[in-house]
Amino acid sequence: MPVTDPETGEHVGEVPRLTAKDAVAALDRASKARADMAALPIHARADILDVAADKLVAKAEAAANLIAREGVKTMTEARGEVRRAAGVLRLSAQAEPGTTPEATLDE
């Protein structure tokens, strides 16, 4: 399914068109992933979040460009959104056990 810049009509990219069956399959995979994550010690989950933040920061400009193009945001707004996302990942990684949803995945 094509994605276009709503401001210019320019082609941004393609995303798959999913069905209800695809959504159920995705939820099933997420449920299994949740169980797998719950089995990891909290420091390992924190490391995963830190790596995700690092990867997002490494591709921050490309991510901001895509956000700006598909959502008609300014580059300044899009860069801020990317910084906030990386910050949330890092904050979640540093949270004390028992204070985040990640800490209670096994409950």
Side-chain angles (χ1 to χ4, degrees):
M1 177 169 74
V3 177
T4 58
D5 180 327
E7 186 174 298
T8 66
E10 179 184 357
H11 181 77
V12 174
E14 298 284 328
V15 295
R17 185 177 300 272
L18 301 177
T19 65
K21 183 178 175 182
D22 295 324
V24 169
L27 289 171
D28 288 344
R29 287 190 304 275
S31 182
K32 181 187 181 313
R34 183 177 192 271
D36 292 345
M37 290 298 285
L40 292 176
I42 197 157
H43 67 80
R45 295 193 302 256
D47 290 346
I48 290 168
L49 292 170
D50 278 331
V51 168
D54 291 343
K55 288 183 177 189
L56 181 58
V57 168
K59 297 184 180 216
E61 194 65 14
N65 187 46
L66 182 59
I67 290 167
R69 290 179 68 201
E70 70 179 11
V72 192
K73 291 187 176 192
T74 68
M75 280 301 290
T76 299
E77 292 168 329
R79 287 180 183 119
E81 192 170 321
V82 172
R83 279 193 305 275
R84 281 188 300 279
V88 167
L89 289 167
R90 291 196 196 289
L91 182 63
S92 296
Q94 296 171 6
E96 290 293 320
T99 63
T100 66
E102 293 87 4
T104 60
L105 284 175
D106 55 351
E107 293 182 358

